[in-house]
Amino acid sequence: MLKNRSLIEPGDFSQEEMEGLFCLAGKIEDNPEYLRDSCRGKILATLFFEPSTRTRLSFEAAMLRLGGSCLGFAEPSSSSAAKGESLADTIRTVSCYADAIVMRNPKEGSALLASRFSSIPVINAGDGGHHHPTQTLTDLLTIRRIRGTTENLTIGFCGDLKFGRTVHSLAKTLARYSGTKMIFISPPELTIPEYIKDMLNKEKIFCREAERLEEVMGDLDVLYMTRVQKERFFNEEDYIRLKDFFILTAEKMEAAKKDMMVLHPLPRVNEIAAEVDSDERAVYFRQARYGMYVRMALLASVLGAV
Ligand code: CP
């Protein structure tokens, strides 16, 4: 059903299609032999115009585990973008060499633009402060595999909600699940964009905003921590003032439900103290592993191996 489809923002896949990917990813986790070599002979191009550890390496690990191969670049300075080549020409060229493209680019809308010039599927690995749909697949698979359900949950999004593209994609997608409540916890300068709030209001999703984590900690089923996105600030002073606004500590965790899950798309800077890592409710490194499973499921589906 997903063969040859691009994924630019989470709304591109129906809830049913996402559920299909979660089932597939679950089968892969339960049986590492499942789908092994199903993409033999296929090539994935990873084009990263911005830094990445998890997204790029988990896509490459996913493709290698499926028996396929990878090519690409981890920074634009090693591509002809550094000589002034347009994104459209880069994409038209890479379409000649690969079977699918995974791209991260600092410009909002770049993934959609790339898909218009590509003859092969394009998967958005983050376009500026806009969307990061495969992180959303990762986040939902993590909740589903550990909690058993993605319904009737109160999710607290904490940190940089203005520039945090993972928050924008996840909030938009969680609006599809019944009983979802969202609490947006941020300093006034980094609140969730109005267009997301308008969309949630239109869908009649319960949501509220808070400035202090302590105010809402006991209400949460999932706490989604995010880092302040230094690279999207125009002003170093503002970044320094806001970067340590929220720090999750073991003491703050004492007020949380016993089964609350702490997620973080990572990388973490200071917003979660290292002492929280040993709390069994901190699942962010398991989440990074789920990212590989769901990307295996996605690649196998888009490349027509399932
Ligand atoms: N979560 C995420 O996108 O991590 P990277 O920036 O390391 O890819």
Side-chain angles (χ1 to χ4, degrees), residues 66-93:
L66 293 169
S69 308
C70 304
L71 51 77
F73 51 83
E75 49 170 295
S77 62
S78 63
S79 80
S80 284
K83 300 179 210 160
E85 185 169 51
S86 69
L87 181 62
D89 287 359
T90 301
I91 294 296
R92 280 193 277 229
T93 304

Side-chain angles (χ1 to χ4, degrees), residues 51-56 104 132 135 166 265-267:
S52 166
T53 296
R54 276 145 294 274
T55 311
R56 185 172 67 84
R104 172 171 291 182
H132 191 349
Q135 183 63 47
T166 66
L266 303 178

Side-chain angles (χ1 to χ4, degrees), residues 33 50 97 106 124 155 161 212 222 235 254 262 272 280:
E33 291 300 312
E50 269 194 335
Y97 308 144
N124 181 7
I155 323 277
L161 310 186
R212 283 169 48 80
V222 177
N235 178 333
E254 282 172 18
V262 183
I272 302 181
E280 62 181 19

